[in-house]
Amino acid sequence: MPSETKVYYPNPNFSKNAYINSFSQYREMYLQSLDNPEAFWGEIIKQFHWETPVEYDNFFRYNFDIRKGPIYTKWFDGATTNICYNVLDRIVQRGYGDKVAYYWEGNHPDDYSRLTYRKLLEEVCKFSNVLKSKGIKKGDRVAVYMPMILEAVITLLACTRIGAVHSVVFAGFSADSFAERVIDCGAEIIVTADGVWRGPKFLGLKSICDQVMDKCARRNHNIRHCIVVAHLKRVTSPDNSQKSNKVHMKEGRDIWWNDAVADSSITCPPVWTNSEDPLFMLYTSGSTGKPKGVLHTVGGYMVYTAATFKCVFDYKSKDVYWCTADIGWITGHSYGVYGPLANAATCVLFEGTPFYPDNDRFWTVIEKYKVNQFYTAPTAIRALMKYGDDLVRRHDVSSLKVIGSVGEPINSEAWLWYYKVVGGEKCSVVDTFWQTETGGHVLTPLPGATPMKPGSATFPFFGVQPALLDESGKEIEGEGEGYLVFKRPWPGIMRSLFGNHERYEATYFSKFPGYYCTGDGARRDADGYFWITGRIDDMLNVSGHLMSTAEVESLLTEHKAIAEAAVVSKPHPIKGECLYCFVITSNETHFDDNIKKELSLLIRERIGAFATPDVIHNTPSLPKTRSGKIMRRILRKVAVNDRNLGDVSTLADSTVIETLFASRPVCS
Ligand code: PRX
């Protein structure tokens, strides 16, 4: 039976107590959210503290139609609030001061700690005061390059408490990528740690930051302060080394976190920010190769992440919730920090990898903390599936109620394994589709309400109005496949690209005036379920990490031996997609294993290890149209050794096809 015809219903015992307990309730609320957004969101915003209340005349305004003027979205404009106050002070005032906000689980199982809401608030205030003492004020950007440690959460919240804008860069990005982002966002301060162990691997974060600060200085961008958490001395290293001794601290610029906070007060008044003031920025890959600084604002993001977290995970006050995403990605922001804390959730913050010290680490952690909601990525599920059911069954994971997936399409085989083996056929799987740009879930099942189909992100969240468009921009009604777009804004949607509103309009709103264009394709089946079919632009999704073909191609051609390069994605059993690179060498250069290694290294060093190509294919020519455009469609076929090429009549030189197939590397 094709997977999509089989429907899996929420466990009735779970549905009984769920916030949204039937599909008809979802439908009713969904229609209300579209018919009367003021009434729908007006109810939800009441739980938050607004220093200056939301005016109903100014509830939300937007323009998605470039023909009518500049694109903008504003929610609750004019109202003032503070997100840190709402996720900490408000929670403590409601009597949750002694509740655990985070269980921190280190890379090594012997390392763990916890932080209550009250203590978290104190630590945040201390660090806000440090930032203030370094001259950081409302609107200033703070660059963050940190492992999954409590100080990372503290840093984010400390920024927002004083209205500073955090710009987190995933601590797996190279010095080059980090420097480019620091310069683009104009940060003059970096918060980092001396280093971190991820599984058996060591990452010297501070020494990477040293390179970044040098690179910035060479481009006349001075980093005035670098605050460093001394993390290594408090954790168990896999090889008992003393790596922490090797950190270099530059006088007057670099300071240890503990020294900085030592005399800091545990109180700090929040700075009231307009709902539409910048909250944070986060870079995502752009199809031209230059990263885009996605900008989110305070009020809408706060309300939206809180509402989606509560409904999609059905979080109840005694639950323990675990999102495995790194804080360097949007999932770590929205569902590792803001959404859960706004709901007074108890979260697990995990520093390590699923494979260390053994391949059952995830199941060990779920058992240890009795995790109720677990949120991870398909790439992890597929990797763990490989180790068999037994590793899961050896652990008591019966505490689980809701299991989530995010970042890339989940194939039905992985979905079924997750549902059956991890969820014990009693947990709803929430396959959440969203993007850095959307701020929170936009297509997702609700665990007590939505009948699930393996591999489908199902239906829109409240307030979200999707549509499928054909190439001419016409809406496809009913069953069909096309460009996935949204017709109106929900509170959590991005507001701009930092410092480049034109690029924002051009990237998301110009192809189909009147719609926000996701860049993904989707199909709607006869029952109205949405199925994401993948990116329709030149973006790759490797293990849930988005990157552009253009950025990899331009790096490859920086190598002196390479004249031209074209990169496509190839399906991969665990990563989802992997990089398949075609390269043409410059005149006279003989392609060999050394060049291949250098190219791989170049990408690792300049982008990050996660971008390492799986295949580098040396070819004498690339398939091009008469106007010189590379036909990637053909390259994707070559990558999977599929000779069903379809129409090739637009090719300038058809002999190139045979050459391409003949030159495929043996083990690709
Ligand atoms: O292609 C879609 C894919 O990931 C892209 C967004 O990537 P990013 O901004 O890095 O955010 C990832 C975490 C929210 C989307 O355009 N994607 C994300 N979730 C899903 C997905 N594809 C299919 N199914 C999903 N559930």
Side-chain angles (χ1 to χ4, degrees):
M1 192 189 295
S3 56
E4 70 184 85
T5 56
K6 170 130 197 212
V7 176
Y8 292 79
Y9 289 90
N11 174 352
N13 287 331
F14 175 83
S15 289
K16 233 176 18 211
N17 300 312
Y19 294 120
I20 295 142
N21 57 30
S22 67
F23 195 63
S24 56
Q25 189 191 354
Y26 157 72
R27 285 296 304 170
E28 198 180 305
M29 288 173 70
Y30 177 68
L31 293 178
Q32 191 220 348
S33 74
L34 295 191
D35 289 348
N36 194 345
E38 286 84 353
F40 185 85
W41 296 108
E43 207 36 54
I44 292 174
I45 63 174
K46 282 186 191 156
Q47 63 188 281
F48 296 100
H49 172 83
W50 302 89
E51 185 67 6
T52 319
V54 175
E55 282 177 22
Y56 282 76
D57 297 343
N58 225 354
F59 204 83
F60 86 113
R61 281 178 288 132
Y62 73 100
N63 174 35
F64 267 16
D65 192 338
I66 194 84
R67 295 164 304 194
K68 296 189 180 144
I71 303 294
Y72 70 89
T73 293
K74 291 181 194 296
W75 284 84
F76 325 126
D77 197 17
T80 63
T81 187
N82 180 286
I83 196 168
C84 176
Y85 183 90
N86 272 289
V87 304
L88 294 180
D89 308 57
R90 183 181 62 100
I91 303 298
V92 172
Q93 285 157 22
R94 291 193 175 181
Y96 293 109
D98 296 323
K99 190 177 177 194
V100 172
Y102 286 100
Y103 289 111
W104 179 75
E105 173 80 7
N107 182 56
H108 196 284
D110 286 349
D111 302 333
Y112 51 89
S113 63
R114 61 172 70 181
L115 208 53
T116 62
Y117 272 89
R118 191 185 327 282
K119 189 80 178 127
L120 179 57
L121 172 57
E122 287 177 11
E123 296 297 326
V124 166
C125 286
K126 281 202 251 174
F127 198 61
S128 291
N129 288 324
V130 169
L131 292 173
K132 283 207 288 193
S133 74
K134 304 284 176 209
I136 304 298
K137 48 187 195 318
K138 186 172 167 210
D140 290 348
R141 274 79 58 213
V142 174
V144 181
Y145 192 69
M146 292 179 97
M148 290 287 281
I149 55 177
L150 294 165
E151 286 85 351
V153 178
I154 294 167
T155 303
L156 266 50
L157 296 171
C159 290
T160 62
R161 192 165 189 86
I162 59 169
V165 176
H166 55 75
S167 175
V168 183
V169 176
F170 171 57
F173 271 113
S174 65
D176 274 315
S177 300
F178 185 25
E180 183 184 9
R181 287 158 175 77
V182 171
I183 293 170
D184 186 79
C185 79
E188 293 181 354
I189 179 165
I190 293 178
V191 187
T192 189
D194 45 4
V196 65
W197 291 96
R198 283 197 39 89
K201 288 197 198 122
F202 178 73
L203 253 181
L205 300 178
K206 175 58 168 61
S207 73
I208 296 174
C209 289
D210 290 341
Q211 295 170 38
V212 168
M213 290 187 277
D214 286 348
K215 284 176 199 289
C216 290
R218 281 202 292 278
R219 289 169 61 185
N220 286 329
H221 181 97
N222 257 333
I223 301 296
R224 292 186 295 119
H225 306 284
C226 179
I227 304 177
V228 189
V229 177
H231 178 54
L232 293 171
K233 65 180 184 202
R234 64 188 181 188
V235 297
T236 315
S237 63
D239 65 357
N240 291 317
S241 64
Q242 294 292 310
K243 291 240 161 64
S244 53
N245 298 337
K246 293 183 188 146
V247 171
H248 165 74
M249 298 290 279
K250 182 173 165 186
E251 249 309 323
R253 183 193 67 184
D254 302 348
I255 177 168
W256 291 107
W257 174 291
N258 278 349
D259 296 340
V261 297
D263 301 320
S264 210
S265 159
I266 57 166
T267 59
C268 173
V271 169
W272 301 114
T273 43
N274 187 310
S275 177
E276 280 302 332
D277 277 339
L279 173 64
F280 68 81
M281 46 188 297
L282 188 59
Y283 285 91
T284 186
S285 292
S287 56
T288 59
K290 190 175 154 32
K292 302 174 291 196
V294 169
L295 188 72
H296 284 285
T297 56
V298 178
Y301 179 86
M302 170 174 85
V303 170
Y304 197 69
T305 52
T308 44
F309 176 80
K310 178 172 171 176
C311 300
V312 173
F313 298 108
D314 200 66
Y315 184 84
K316 300 281 166 53
S317 92
K318 290 202 171 67
D319 289 346
V320 176
Y321 160 86
W322 180 19
C323 165
T324 66
D326 194 279
I327 201 155
W329 306 113
I330 190 70
T331 310
H333 283 53
S334 301
Y335 301 109
V337 181
Y338 294 107
L341 295 186
N343 286 279
T346 294
C347 311
V348 176
L349 186 76
F350 176 49
E351 181 184 40
T353 83
F355 317 108
Y356 183 81
D358 289 305
N359 297 324
D360 62 349
R361 187 68 189 279
F362 271 8
W363 323 128
T364 313
V365 174
I366 291 174
E367 182 171 20
K368 175 173 174 185
Y369 296 103
K370 301 197 169 40
V371 171
N372 303 108
Q373 290 91 359
F374 178 61
Y375 194 28
T376 195
T379 186
I381 299 167
R382 288 190 295 262
L384 292 168
M385 200 169 124
K386 202 175 73 184
Y387 297 111
D389 306 0
D390 207 41
L391 274 195
V392 186
R393 298 218 162 102
R394 240 182 256 165
H395 296 276
D396 179 5
V397 296
S398 62
S399 53
L400 290 172
K401 297 195 285 191
V402 178
I403 50 181
S405 164
V406 59
E408 25 160 350
I410 178 164
N411 47 315
S412 55
E413 193 195 353
W415 192 101
L416 287 168
W417 184 79
Y418 200 30
Y419 176 74
K420 288 183 178 156
V421 180
V422 180
E425 303 192 37
K426 68 174 178 40
C427 300
S428 289
V429 175
V430 286
D431 174 4
T432 59
F433 167 83
W434 58 296
Q435 308 176 297
T436 306
E437 293 89 336
T438 68
H441 307 140
V442 281
L443 298 179
T444 177
L446 298 181
T450 314
M452 297 158 281
K453 294 188 185 187
S456 166
T458 74
F459 297 102
F461 190 72
F462 305 127
V464 173
Q465 196 178 13
L468 297 179
L469 302 185
D470 67 15
E471 196 57 53
S472 70
K474 208 166 113 306
E475 282 192 29
I476 299 166
E477 302 297 334
E479 241 179 301
E481 186 171 335
Y483 292 91
L484 176 65
V485 298
F486 294 107
K487 296 171 78 157
R488 54 159 104 184
W490 53 95
I493 191 174
M494 72 188 310
R495 303 301 198 259
S496 190
L497 291 177
F498 183 79
N500 202 343
H501 200 69
E502 298 79 53
R503 189 175 179 201
Y504 166 72
E505 293 178 331
T507 310
Y508 303 100
F509 297 95
S510 71
K511 190 171 170 71
F512 300 115
Y515 301 93
Y516 164 81
C517 188
T518 58
D520 283 291
R523 186 165 62 80
R524 186 167 36 215
D525 70 16
D527 301 325
Y529 282 69
F530 283 93
W531 300 75
I532 304 297
T533 53
R535 301 291 305 186
I536 36 94
D537 48 14
D538 290 332
M539 303 289 274
L540 302 167
N541 193 328
V542 181
S543 303
H545 301 327
L546 265 197
M547 60 192 88
S548 72
T549 50
E551 72 182 307
V552 182
E553 285 162 7
S554 71
L555 265 185
L556 290 169
T557 50
E558 273 187 31
H559 191 288
K560 62 179 185 318
I562 303 303
E564 201 176 352
V567 177
V568 295
S569 67
K570 180 185 168 191
H572 186 280
I574 290 173
K575 301 180 191 178
E577 291 182 341
C578 67
L579 265 71
Y580 191 113
C581 309
F582 293 85
V583 292
I584 300 180
T585 48
S586 342
N587 283 346
E588 315 287 315
T589 311
H590 172 69
F591 188 78
D592 58 16
D593 275 355
N594 261 345
I595 299 184
K596 210 177 192 171
K597 275 194 203 124
E598 283 167 19
L599 291 173
S600 252
L601 198 68
L602 186 69
I603 294 175
R604 289 173 72 92
E605 280 179 355
R606 300 281 292 277
I607 303 180
F610 58 87
T612 310
D614 275 46
V615 185
I616 300 182
H617 174 164
N618 176 225
T619 172
S621 45
L622 289 167
K624 291 189 181 165
T625 59
R626 280 177 197 88
S627 59
K629 209 170 173 302
I630 295 176
M631 293 179 73
R632 289 167 193 284
R633 180 173 63 76
I634 293 183
L635 293 178
R636 279 191 281 270
K637 293 280 189 179
V638 176
V640 294
N641 208 8
D642 176 358
R643 286 177 182 263
N644 293 319
L645 300 178
D647 179 16
V648 292
S649 59
T650 51
L651 256 184
D653 171 10
S654 57
T655 61
V656 65
I657 292 179
E658 218 20 73
T659 323
L660 276 166
F661 278 104
S663 57
R664 284 183 87 249
V666 197
C667 47
S668 62

